[in-house]
Amino acid sequence: TEAPAQMRISWILCILLPLGLENVEGTLVIAVDKSGSMADDNKLTKVKEVLKNWLVHTAPQDGEVGLLAFNESTHSQYGFDLSKLHTLNRTEIAKQIDKIEALGGTCYGKAMFDAEGLLGGESGGKILVIGDGKLECTDDISMDEIANRAIKNKQTIYTINVGNELDKAIENASRKTGGINFKLDIDFSAFEMEEQINEVFEGGKTIHIYDENSDDRSSRSVQGQSEGCKKYELLNHFRYRKSGHADDLGRSYCDNQHQVIMKTNDVDFHPSPDWKGEGWYRFDTFNGRMPENAPGGDKCGTSLAGWVKGSHPSNGATKDVEICFSDDSTDCITSVTAKISECSGHYVYYLKELTCMQRYCVE
């Protein structure tokens, strides 16, 4: 029987998958933006392919994951009994994902409210919102209300934003709950998004409190012992800090905010988009840390890749370290000094401005 028109326009795809978790705080609900703007540049098509592949081939057997699709309309619901998960169940889920079509405006607040409802009362859990970051709903639930509800229910909100700048209200709500905001370019790869979904699913809950008094959208204030644990900047250009000499546009990067764009060997060197000068930094990935082994040359989006020569501190300690920069033939062709603090399960780094062709790496 054909579904009513309103149901065909907007619906929630509710999936409970047994996915391996140690406690309810790991339970994940993924909310996918299916508004009209997601049709631009085939964003929704690519997101759907990633979700199908992750649910069918990657997601493990035990635990729970929910999935919902949203735009601005009243949601209708499809339910699946997946308490005994097997290949056929996952294949049927993939077929349902194929039916999601981009149409209408965007109500992030209502979608997050529905996701909080799927997780249940004060039971904890994580919400991951995937979309293009546009707020187009005049009667939406406020982000402050969403954040307060999530905090009360011990829930954490994360976002994967495709193409555009994430609306600051959404970003602030996520960070208030202890979440992280990921960003993908329009031409993102399936591997990149799967990696981010896995980081949310597998990562531990970060311990930090967003600094509401800061005008800098990338600054956070966190609980911890050292000065760096209390206030730091985010290094969130992690796709190119992890691997690859140049990005898709043939660019390479330097951690120098005053770097003038230069060309060498057909590669344009640019200032790193997330670098803000000497100071305390945290890599914006779960348990993000600098490598303790030389990455080699032409890695981490630059020519000379920075790594920690030595070990990271533990138990809230701060230590002075040497950061080496490697090329294809030498592990430590040059170096600078830095500080590392351990802050309740993650690291922050006091990093100095570098010369061009040098950049700090993340594992």
Side-chain angles (χ1 to χ4, degrees):
T1 302
E2 186 175 356
Q6 185 177 11
M7 182 178 291
R8 294 199 304 271
I9 290 174
S10 178
W11 46 276
I12 293 179
L13 176 61
C14 275
I15 305 171
L16 294 179
L17 305 182
L19 296 184
L21 307 164
E22 295 180 2
N23 54 59
V24 292
E25 287 198 350
T27 303
L28 174 66
V29 172
I30 302 174
V32 181
D33 178 3
K34 53 161 284 185
S35 63
S37 61
M38 286 294 287
D40 299 341
D41 301 297
N42 294 316
K43 288 179 288 191
L44 182 58
T45 299
K46 292 193 284 187
V47 169
K48 286 159 57 176
E49 290 303 312
V50 171
L51 289 175
K52 287 191 297 181
N53 186 71
W54 188 76
L55 289 167
V56 174
H57 300 294
T58 305
Q61 288 282 346
D62 28 339
E64 286 188 336
V65 164
L67 176 65
L68 63 85
F70 69 94
N71 53 21
E72 88 286 4
S73 304
T74 302
H75 299 295
S76 301
Q77 184 166 308
Y78 288 77
F80 298 89
D81 179 8
L82 300 180
S83 59
K84 296 181 179 179
L85 185 65
H86 51 76
T87 303
L88 178 61
N89 294 131
R90 296 191 184 210
T91 302
E92 290 302 316
I93 292 167
K95 291 179 181 179
Q96 294 296 331
I97 292 175
D98 278 331
K99 297 178 182 180
I100 301 175
E101 296 182 355
L103 184 66
T106 315
C107 288
Y108 270 79
K110 293 178 181 178
M112 292 180 185
F113 184 90
D114 289 335
E116 290 173 351
L118 286 181
L119 288 172
E122 299 181 10
S123 58
K126 302 175 184 178
I127 297 168
L128 172 61
V129 183
I130 303 175
D132 60 10
K134 296 180 180 179
L135 286 179
E136 303 170 334
C137 190
T138 57
D139 60 343
D140 205 359
I141 301 171
S142 75
M143 289 295 103
D144 283 339
E145 180 178 346
I146 291 298
N148 291 336
R149 281 174 52 88
I151 292 169
K152 177 182 178 182
N153 294 332
K154 304 180 179 66
Q155 297 164 352
T156 310
I157 299 171
Y158 303 84
T159 67
I160 296 177
N161 195 54
V162 181
N164 302 303
E165 287 297 326
L166 182 64
D167 188 280
K168 190 171 182 179
I170 303 173
E171 182 177 0
N172 291 352
S174 168
R175 290 181 172 175
K176 285 179 182 178
T177 68
I180 287 179
N181 301 288
F182 300 97
K183 187 179 187 308
L184 289 174
D185 296 330
I186 288 292
D187 57 350
F188 71 90
S189 69
F191 173 79
E192 288 178 279
M193 182 170 283
E194 280 204 39
E195 185 179 52
Q196 292 175 351
I197 294 172
N198 284 327
E199 285 190 10
V200 173
F201 176 69
E202 297 172 0
K205 186 173 182 180
T206 54
I207 304 174
H208 59 262
I209 303 171
Y210 181 67
D211 183 2
E212 293 183 346
N213 297 319
S214 173
D215 292 329
D216 187 343
R217 62 189 293 170
S218 65
S219 298
R220 295 180 188 169
S221 174
V222 299
Q223 297 174 340
Q225 297 178 350
S226 79
E227 175 188 355
C229 294
K230 298 174 183 177
K231 187 71 177 292
Y232 54 81
E233 305 291 345
L234 293 175
L235 293 176
N236 53 18
H237 195 232
F238 66 89
R239 172 184 176 186
Y240 300 114
R241 286 190 182 273
K242 294 180 73 170
S243 64
H245 171 55
D247 71 11
D248 297 334
L249 299 177
R251 294 172 179 165
S252 196
Y253 299 93
C254 315
D255 284 336
N256 184 314
Q257 62 179 338
H258 304 297
Q259 173 63 40
V260 177
I261 297 175
M262 59 176 286
K263 182 182 287 288
T264 177
N265 297 327
D266 297 323
V267 175
D268 293 334
F269 278 87
H270 293 247
S272 297
D274 54 357
W275 180 257
K276 298 186 178 179
E278 181 174 340
W280 286 101
Y281 287 89
R282 177 183 174 185
F283 292 104
D284 199 1
T285 61
F286 283 112
N287 302 319
R289 50 181 273 168
M290 294 183 68
E292 295 177 355
N293 296 293
D298 291 346
K299 300 293 184 182
C300 308
T302 193
S303 294
L304 302 178
W307 59 283
V308 176
K309 187 178 181 182
S311 60
H312 284 67
S314 59
N315 301 321
T318 298
K319 67 182 294 187
D320 295 320
V321 297
E322 180 181 9
I323 306 295
C324 282
F325 297 87
S326 62
D327 63 10
D328 288 330
S329 59
T330 307
D331 287 348
C332 196
I333 192 171
T334 186
S335 67
V336 296
T337 57
K339 293 181 183 293
I340 306 177
S341 293
E342 194 278 329
C343 310
S344 303
H346 67 269
Y347 296 101
V348 294
Y349 302 79
Y350 190 88
L351 302 175
K352 297 179 179 179
E353 191 106 321
L354 302 175
T355 61
C356 193
M357 302 176 70
Q358 295 178 343
R359 200 179 197 210
Y360 298 106
C361 284
V362 62
E363 286 185 334

